[in-house]
Amino acid sequence: MSSVTFITWLIVSLFFYSNEVASSSPAISVSAPIRVGSRSILRSIDKNKEEKEDYAVELNATNFDSVLKETPAAHAVVEFFAHWCPACRNYKPQYEKIAKIFNGADAVHPGMILLTRVDCALKINTNLCDKFSVGHYPTLLWGPPSKFVSGSWDPKQEKSEIRSIEDARTADLLLNWINKQMNSSYRLEDRKYENDLQKNASDIGQIARAVYDIEEATSTAFGIILDHKMIKSETKASLVKFFQLLVVHHPSRRCRKGTAELLVDFDNLLANKEIDSGERGEIRNYQICGKDVPRGYWMFCRGSKNETRGFSCGLWVLLHSLSVRVDDGESQLAFTTICDFIHNFFICEECRQHFYTMCSSVSTPFNKSRDFVLWLWQAHNKVNERLMKVEASLETDDPQFPKITWPPQQLCPSCYGTVRVDESRPIEWDLDEVHKFLINYYGKALVNLNKDKELTVERLVNLSDDAASSASVNALVVPVGAALAIAVASCAFGALACYWRQHQKSRKPRRSWN
């Protein structure tokens, strides 16, 4: 054997030996003598070190559009980089400082801005990076998430909502640039739950972000029902009725779609023996409002402490948003549907009983949607009044979001019949103005932010227009089964409403709860 052949054989043998050792011995001591192949060994050791969590969302050509389409954020930053680029590696810790502020369940200001990155060194992303004219690394682009979806960018374009971020080499510079664009005052030192929505009660536009909290509350409620095995033979009917209400009137298109898909398969998913035994079966695989919900954080309903607001707030907003979308013929059925749902599936016992008592006190059927909207508003204020006293005595209230009689005068001056000088005197409400306010607040204002991301129904209180729009406008994105469920649910809900009204005409008024 020649010396060259022998040396070649020796190098190859040592190479494979070192890789075998590295793969079979992940716990090799760092202090062990470094031999040939030590680079592979050290790489193996590095992999076992605790890696820092990345907060910026990694995107590629397969998920770029879907992630940016579904994000609740009003703004997005996309970093185009190459993993082999030293400058990009050095910039990553700076970018992560900003991403940590806005991304993830532990973010200081969640859902305001989505920070993402795309590795242009991967072949799968070549065309994507070309579409956005990436000529150097790192390249940072800023704009509304919807503008990135199926979009492109050319630096020569004069009128484009996507902009290049220049001079952002440090976290401070990038955050300063963002603050200038948003007229905000975010800081690297901000602590969790220190800032956010609803501080200014007179800003009606803040409710727009609650559409994402409604999605969160809907998905969370469904998860609670499954986790606590609450679907029984005796509760199944009330859950189906509530799902039908969501399919037709939920403010979020994807929640309407997801609920419709679930409703189509509901009977097959819940065989009688599974219901009686409390088993969840395949139903646990259904994501009622989309694959990224629940997200783990709240926006409009976010409290200043972890244990305040959140789910209960989101559920109230959901109920109000449903109430303003039903027609006169559905109002009584919607009322009993919501009352039954809370009675069967809300696991806070004291709250459930209190709501049950309020439902039971209604002796006359709701023939007008206006009456149902105002009843739910009054019920919510009764709950707030009760909790005001309890939380004040136990010091469990949220200091930044105390319970109040709602809406406050600065948010709806016309709702108050007279100027309220003495706080101890009862409020003289102008109920017509309160009704107008509720329709606008939980209707048009609530979905305003989402107009660019989903096809919304213009007429919020007309059942037939809402159902027809849901079936036709979304025909390209809703599966056949889901579209069928929407149609069936709409017809069933309307038919039951008509039946209820005819039934009520032939008998004396009675209590709604049996």
Side-chain angles (χ1 to χ4, degrees):
M1 180 183 294
S2 66
S3 59
V4 174
T5 303
F6 175 78
I7 293 173
T8 301
W9 174 81
L10 180 61
I11 292 174
V12 171
S13 299
L14 288 172
F15 175 80
F16 282 109
Y17 172 75
S18 63
N19 280 338
E20 182 180 351
V21 171
S23 62
S24 62
S25 305
I28 293 177
S29 171
V30 178
S31 61
I34 298 176
R35 299 185 292 272
V36 177
S38 60
R39 181 172 296 178
S40 298
I41 295 174
L42 291 176
R43 188 182 298 121
S44 176
I45 293 171
D46 288 339
K47 285 184 179 179
N48 286 289
K49 290 181 179 179
E50 184 177 348
E51 296 181 359
K52 292 183 178 179
E53 178 183 358
D54 285 346
Y55 293 93
V57 179
E58 297 283 348
L59 300 180
N60 57 50
T62 63
N63 66 359
F64 186 84
D65 285 353
S66 61
V67 171
L68 288 165
K69 181 180 180 181
E70 300 296 347
T71 179
H75 306 278
V77 179
V78 182
E79 179 200 10
F80 294 94
F81 74 104
H83 61 261
W84 49 258
C85 167
C88 298
R89 290 198 297 268
N90 293 334
Y91 183 64
K92 182 178 179 180
Q94 300 295 321
Y95 192 65
E96 282 294 315
K97 288 181 181 179
I98 307 303
K100 187 177 181 180
I101 296 176
F102 300 104
N103 288 10
D106 294 325
V108 184
H109 307 290
M112 306 302 291
I113 305 171
L114 179 69
L115 281 93
T116 68
R117 57 165 59 96
V118 176
D119 188 353
C120 294
L122 301 179
K123 289 185 178 181
I124 191 176
N125 297 326
T126 299
N127 292 335
L128 178 61
C129 296
D130 287 344
K131 285 173 59 178
F132 289 93
S133 305
V134 179
H136 61 274
Y137 303 128
T139 292
L140 271 67
L141 298 182
W142 162 277
S146 60
K147 300 302 177 182
F148 286 98
V149 177
S150 302
S152 61
W153 178 74
D154 186 339
K156 297 178 182 178
Q157 283 181 313
E158 294 183 2
K159 295 182 179 180
S160 176
E161 293 188 58
I162 297 177
R163 300 176 54 193
S164 175
I165 302 178
E166 307 294 344
D167 192 23
R169 293 181 177 274
T170 66
D172 285 317
L173 289 173
L174 176 56
L175 192 56
N176 289 338
W177 192 95
I178 290 173
N179 280 330
K180 288 180 181 179
Q181 309 312 306
M182 299 183 63
N183 193 27
S184 55
S185 55
Y186 299 125
R187 303 174 303 165
L188 292 174
E189 299 81 19
D190 284 351
R191 293 176 297 173
K192 192 174 182 182
Y193 302 113
E194 186 174 89
N195 180 43
D196 233 338
L197 300 169
Q198 227 183 13
K199 291 288 184 67
N200 182 4
S202 63
D203 183 6
I204 194 172
Q206 291 176 6
I207 188 63
R209 292 190 178 277
V211 70
Y212 302 110
D213 287 355
I214 292 176
E215 292 178 337
E216 192 82 6
T218 305
S219 182
T220 300
F222 185 55
I224 291 172
I225 290 171
L226 296 183
D227 290 341
H228 291 267
K229 301 178 180 179
M230 302 172 75
I231 305 177
K232 306 288 185 180
S233 298
E234 62 272 19
T235 62
K236 176 187 172 183
S238 65
L239 185 59
V240 169
K241 285 169 58 180
F242 189 71
F243 282 162
Q244 290 173 342
L245 186 62
L246 298 186
V247 167
V248 180
H249 294 304
H250 199 293
S252 166
R253 177 183 59 82
R254 56 179 172 177
C255 289
R256 293 196 298 270
K257 174 186 173 184
T259 308
E261 291 172 344
L262 174 60
L263 204 54
V264 168
D265 299 329
F266 197 70
D267 284 334
N268 293 331
L269 290 169
L270 294 176
N272 287 331
K273 60 180 181 180
E274 288 184 348
I275 298 175
D276 295 333
S277 64
E279 294 297 327
R280 294 182 295 173
E282 295 181 5
I283 196 171
R284 66 180 180 275
N285 297 324
Y286 280 73
Q287 295 167 304
I288 199 168
C289 286
K291 61 183 179 181
D292 64 331
V293 182
R295 304 174 188 89
Y297 60 82
W298 303 93
M299 297 179 68
F300 176 82
C301 286
R302 185 175 172 207
S304 63
K305 298 186 290 186
N306 280 325
E307 63 272 16
T308 59
R309 307 188 78 220
F311 175 62
S312 59
C313 167
L315 189 59
W316 270 116
V317 179
L318 171 61
L319 299 183
H320 285 298
S321 70
L322 293 172
S323 74
V324 302
R325 286 167 168 78
V326 301
D327 199 6
D328 287 346
E330 314 168 84
S331 55
Q332 178 63 25
L333 191 57
F335 164 72
T336 56
T337 296
I338 288 175
C339 286
D340 285 346
F341 176 78
I342 297 297
H343 181 61
N344 289 318
F345 299 107
F346 197 65
I347 60 176
C348 174
E349 181 62 21
E350 183 178 347
C351 305
R352 186 181 71 84
Q353 290 291 350
H354 189 252
F355 197 86
Y356 175 85
T357 301
M358 291 190 294
C359 288
S360 300
S361 67
V362 176
S363 57
T364 304
F366 293 112
N367 295 320
K368 297 289 184 181
S369 61
R370 175 186 182 275
D371 298 332
F372 174 42
V373 170
L374 290 175
W375 175 85
L376 188 63
W377 161 71
Q378 291 169 335
H380 196 167
N381 270 334
K382 287 180 181 178
V383 171
N384 279 355
E385 183 179 354
R386 178 175 63 89
L387 292 179
M388 268 187 242
K389 301 174 182 178
V390 174
E391 292 180 353
S393 62
L394 299 176
E395 298 183 351
T396 56
D397 59 331
D398 190 321
Q400 292 190 19
F401 302 97
K403 296 289 188 299
I404 59 172
T405 301
W406 197 88
Q409 195 161 357
Q410 62 265 39
L411 188 60
C412 182
S414 63
C415 292
Y416 291 71
T418 57
V419 178
R420 194 181 185 196
V421 179
D422 186 357
E423 294 291 330
S424 62
R425 295 183 61 184
I427 301 173
E428 296 180 12
W429 295 104
D430 185 328
L431 295 182
D432 288 335
E433 290 299 316
V434 171
H435 180 241
K436 290 178 184 178
F437 169 80
L438 295 171
I439 291 291
N440 182 59
Y441 193 77
Y442 290 111
K444 295 177 182 178
L446 186 145
V447 300
N448 184 58
L449 182 71
N450 219 29
K451 282 184 178 179
D452 292 336
K453 296 182 181 179
E454 67 175 39
L455 301 172
T456 55
V457 180
E458 291 297 327
R459 298 186 64 185
L460 299 174
V461 294
N462 189 299
L463 170 63
S464 59
D465 286 354
D466 193 16
S469 297
S470 297
S472 60
V473 175
N474 297 319
L476 294 177
V477 294
V478 179
V480 175
L484 178 62
I486 292 175
V488 172
S490 302
C491 294
F493 210 79
L496 286 170
C498 292
Y499 170 77
W500 176 268
R501 296 183 70 183
Q502 292 298 324
H503 187 59
Q504 289 302 314
K505 290 179 181 179
S506 62
R507 60 178 302 174
K508 295 180 180 180
R510 63 182 180 83
R511 299 170 73 89
S512 299
W513 281 86
N514 294 324

